[in-house]
């Protein structure tokens, strides 16, 4: 059986790499995208147990991706990771359909707990 696959969408290479390493150490397969366009291409080709997206990307807002994933027939949980952490942003992300919301700098223990919760949600 293959490992659950996670899509990480963030334009910060260092954070993308940190998230990748953390998720791979959890036994997960990871795809990474730097832009909305790359993320959309991955989503067309693959199914994911979780999508982690930055709020602000070079070619748009992560909320666009939240809405697209939520609107698709897939039941993929999607979480927003952002440096612009505020209660208002959290409410907007959750109303758009996000499963969860993580502020930068990312606390890896919190990230792991959130990922495990998402994997339980998306398990068949």
């Amino acid at each position: 059986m293959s490992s659950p696959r996670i899509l990480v969408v963030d334009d910060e290479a260092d954070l993308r790499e940190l998230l990748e390493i953390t998720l791979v150490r959890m036994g997960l397969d990871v795809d990474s995208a730097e832009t909305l366009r790359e993320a959309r291409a991955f989503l067309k080709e693959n199914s994911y147990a979780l999508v982690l997206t930055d709020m602000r990307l070079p070619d748009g807002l992560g909320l666009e991706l939240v809405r697209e994933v939520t609107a698709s027939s897939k039941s993929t949980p999607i979480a927003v990771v952002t440096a612009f952490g505020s209660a208002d942003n959290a409410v907007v992300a959750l109303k758009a359909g996000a499963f969860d919301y993580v502020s930068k700098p990312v606390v890896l223990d919190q990230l792991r707990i959130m990922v495990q919760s998402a994997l339980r949600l998306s398990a068949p």
Side-chain angles (χ1 to χ4, degrees):
M1 193 171 119
S2 65
S3 298
R5 184 168 286 281
I6 311 291
L7 176 60
V8 174
V9 187
D10 200 302
D11 57 331
E12 289 180 52
D14 291 346
L15 180 62
R16 228 178 23 249
E17 187 176 340
L18 174 67
L19 294 174
E20 270 183 66
I21 291 167
T22 302
L23 295 168
V24 166
R25 285 185 178 156
M26 290 175 71
L28 304 167
D29 290 331
V30 181
D31 287 329
S32 292
E34 194 172 341
T35 63
L36 279 177
R37 187 199 330 230
E38 286 178 29
R40 288 176 177 131
F42 275 120
L43 286 162
K44 280 183 186 166
E45 299 295 319
N46 302 292
S47 293
Y48 292 96
L50 173 65
V51 177
L52 286 172
T53 183
D54 192 4
M55 181 79 89
R56 296 187 184 180
L57 296 161
D59 56 348
L61 294 176
L63 288 178
E64 294 174 48
L65 206 57
V66 171
R67 289 185 184 103
E68 289 166 24
V69 168
T70 304
S72 73
S73 57
K74 299 171 187 166
S75 58
T76 307
I78 181 163
V80 176
V81 181
T82 183
F84 304 96
S86 73
D88 289 345
N89 280 344
V91 168
V92 169
L94 295 171
K95 281 186 175 177
F99 154 76
D100 207 343
Y101 183 91
V102 182
S103 293
K104 293 178 185 175
V106 174
V107 176
L108 294 180
D109 286 342
Q110 289 175 344
L111 176 77
R112 289 184 194 100
I113 290 166
M114 185 269 295
V115 168
Q116 288 165 343
S117 295
L119 293 177
R120 281 192 293 275
L121 272 184
S122 65

